[in-house]
Amino acid sequence: MRAIIMALAWALSGAVFLESRDGTRIRISTVQIAPGGTYTVQMAADPFTDHFLSMRPFKCLEGPDKHWCHIPYPYQISRQAGPDLTDLEYDFLFIWKGAGDDGIDMWNGVYCVLEDTGDRLVGRLHEVDMDILAAPPADGDLRPIGTGDLEPGGPDSHWLPRLLIE
């Protein structure tokens, strides 16, 4: 883990992609990591389109059958990259909806669990009920999504099954 964080820190930035089943990549963001591991995220504007769903604005990636809508994490996180990648995972939350649907269902959350592969971070798709984020956690834990809330998603069930940070 330290190798990729240090490489990104020296380069001062890394590109963030969502990758389709056929290997097509969509660049969604840039992560800038400072020495010490603090980071900032700059979401790209180009691949996203504006949608007004369930009475809220969303930035969505339009796929052939499903749209993926970015969910900015609503609570404070430290934005620290290191052995614990949870903050980075929380910066890339999505909800999917059918391409023809007019609203969203918070049940259709997408959470990518990141792992270090040596030269990049790879996020494996998991499904999660985003209703967990509807209200701040009563116990003060601002990282309420636990491993018990995640269900591994089948790579064939979504058009963007991988998140890559390089």
Side-chain angles (χ1 to χ4, degrees):
M1 172 78 265
R2 185 54 64 191
I4 188 71
I5 297 302
M6 290 309 296
L8 289 174
W10 286 112
L12 298 177
S13 66
V16 182
F17 300 91
L18 286 170
E19 186 175 72
S20 69
R21 291 185 302 260
D22 69 4
T24 302
R25 291 180 172 190
I26 300 171
R27 185 177 182 156
I28 61 164
S29 178
T30 300
V31 175
Q32 294 186 334
I33 302 175
T38 59
Y39 71 89
T40 59
V41 172
Q42 179 66 44
M43 296 301 288
D46 291 343
F48 293 95
T49 57
D50 293 324
H51 288 258
F52 194 73
L53 307 166
S54 301
M55 305 299 289
R56 293 184 47 206
F58 287 90
K59 301 281 188 188
C60 300
L61 300 167
E62 296 180 346
D65 299 317
K66 294 180 182 179
H67 295 344
W68 275 32
C69 302
H70 181 245
I71 305 293
Y73 186 64
Y75 310 113
Q76 184 176 353
I77 53 178
S78 64
R79 292 214 162 71
Q80 184 73 30
D84 180 357
L85 297 171
T86 305
D87 288 349
L88 272 170
E89 293 170 351
Y90 275 46
D91 274 314
F92 300 106
L93 300 175
F94 289 86
I95 290 182
W96 67 266
K97 70 174 209 72
D101 295 346
D102 292 327
I104 57 167
D105 184 344
M106 295 301 281
W107 176 257
N108 296 330
V110 176
Y111 185 105
C112 292
V113 175
L114 291 170
E115 73 173 284
D116 178 16
T117 64
D119 59 345
R120 63 185 175 175
L121 300 176
V122 176
R124 304 279 181 226
L125 180 136
H126 288 70
E127 297 183 17
V128 63
D129 179 357
M130 290 288 183
D131 278 330
I132 294 169
L133 305 178
D139 63 5
D141 179 11
L142 296 180
R143 291 175 164 182
I145 301 171
T147 56
D149 300 311
L150 302 174
E151 181 68 31
D156 294 334
S157 66
H158 290 282
W159 67 290
L160 299 168
R162 291 191 342 151
L163 177 91
L164 305 169
I165 302 176
E166 312 183 312

